Amino acid sequence: MKAEYINPFLESAKIVIEQVVQIRPATGTLGVKDVKFVENYIWIQIGLNGQLNGDIVLGLSEEVAIKMVSAMMGGFAISEMDEMGKSAISELGNMISGNASTMLFNQGVRVDITPPKVLHSAQSAGFETKKALTIPLIMDGIGEMDIQVLIAS
C-alpha cells in the first residue's frame, strides 16, 4: 500500500462533495486501520484493475449518508436509505472514482475502475477484516466519510 494512491481519491472526493453537497470537507489524519464492516454503515466499493489492483472503499454511517443524499437533492430531507438514496450514493462514488482515475492516468498510472457497488450491510460486503490506508473527510454539519484503500500491489 502506498500513500500516494489515496491522494487522487482524497482530492476527488473533496472536489465532488463540494460540488454536489455544497460543503468543503476538511481532511483528517492518514492512518492504517483494520477495516471492519459493521451494521448501520454504508460502503461504496470501487475495484481497481491494471497497474493497481485492489479496492477503494468509501465508508460512512447511514446517518451521514442520509444527510449527504438530502444535501445532494437540494435540501429535500430523506429519512431512510431507500433505493433512490442508494442510487445517489452510488453516483457519488461513481463521480469520485471517475475523477480519481483521471488523476491517476495523469500521473502515469493506468487503471480501470469497476462501477461502484453500494453495500448496506456487513454480510453483503463479503469482506474479511483487512488493513487499509484510511483518511477521514470531515464535513461540517454532516459528519465523516472514511476513504479506505485496500491495494494488493
Side-chain angles (χ1 to χ4, degrees), residues 52-67:
L52 299 177
N53 292 297
D55 292 292
I56 302 293
V57 180
L58 309 176
L60 58 165
S61 72
E62 194 169 321
E63 178 185 342
V64 170
I66 287 169
K67 288 178 183 177

Side-chain angles (χ1 to χ4, degrees), residues 50-121:
Q51 286 181 267
L52 299 177
N53 292 297
D55 292 292
I56 302 293
V57 180
L58 309 176
L60 58 165
S61 72
E62 194 169 321
E63 178 185 342
V64 170
I66 287 169
K67 288 178 183 177
M68 287 184 77
V69 170
S70 293
M72 289 171 73
M73 295 172 62
F76 177 78
I78 66 165
S79 58
E80 65 178 346
M81 281 304 289
D82 57 10
E83 289 307 310
M84 184 160 31
K86 288 179 190 173
S87 176
I89 286 294
S90 179
E91 183 54 29
L92 182 74
N94 200 33
M95 293 167 70
I96 291 169
S97 60
N99 283 351
S101 68
T102 299
M103 290 176 187
L104 285 165
F105 180 84
N106 290 337
Q107 293 173 6
V109 179
R110 306 292 184 260
V111 66
D112 290 320
I113 56 171
T114 64
K117 219 187 315 184
V118 175
L119 309 168
H120 199 188
S121 74

Side-chain angles (χ1 to χ4, degrees), residues 4-151:
E4 66 259 24
Y5 297 146
I6 202 169
N7 288 333
F9 289 91
L10 174 63
E11 287 307 310
S12 178
K14 288 165 71 173
I15 291 165
V16 169
I17 289 168
E18 186 172 12
Q19 289 173 345
V20 299
V21 182
Q22 308 297 307
I23 289 176
R24 180 72 177 167
T27 305
T29 305
L30 177 68
V32 177
K33 74 177 192 181
D34 289 330
V35 176
K36 293 182 183 158
F37 290 92
V38 294
E39 296 303 325
N40 300 318
Y41 222 73
I42 294 175
W43 301 274
I44 307 164
Q45 177 187 3
I46 302 144
L48 303 173
N49 299 302
Q51 286 181 267
L52 299 177
N53 292 297
D55 292 292
I56 302 293
V57 180
L58 309 176
L60 58 165
S61 72
E62 194 169 321
E63 178 185 342
V64 170
I66 287 169
K67 288 178 183 177
M68 287 184 77
V69 170
S70 293
M72 289 171 73
M73 295 172 62
F76 177 78
I78 66 165
S79 58
E80 65 178 346
M81 281 304 289
D82 57 10
E83 289 307 310
M84 184 160 31
K86 288 179 190 173
S87 176
I89 286 294
S90 179
E91 183 54 29
L92 182 74
N94 200 33
M95 293 167 70
I96 291 169
S97 60
N99 283 351
S101 68
T102 299
M103 290 176 187
L104 285 165
F105 180 84
N106 290 337
Q107 293 173 6
V109 179
R110 306 292 184 260
V111 66
D112 290 320
I113 56 171
T114 64
K117 219 187 315 184
V118 175
L119 309 168
H120 199 188
S121 74
Q123 291 174 328
S124 71
F127 270 37
E128 299 172 20
T129 299
K130 298 181 183 182
K131 292 232 183 274
L133 280 175
T134 301
I135 191 156
L137 286 180
I138 300 132
M139 297 168 282
D140 193 32
I142 292 184
E144 290 187 16
M145 176 172 75
D146 281 343
I147 299 176
Q148 301 163 340
V149 182
L150 297 84
I151 304 254

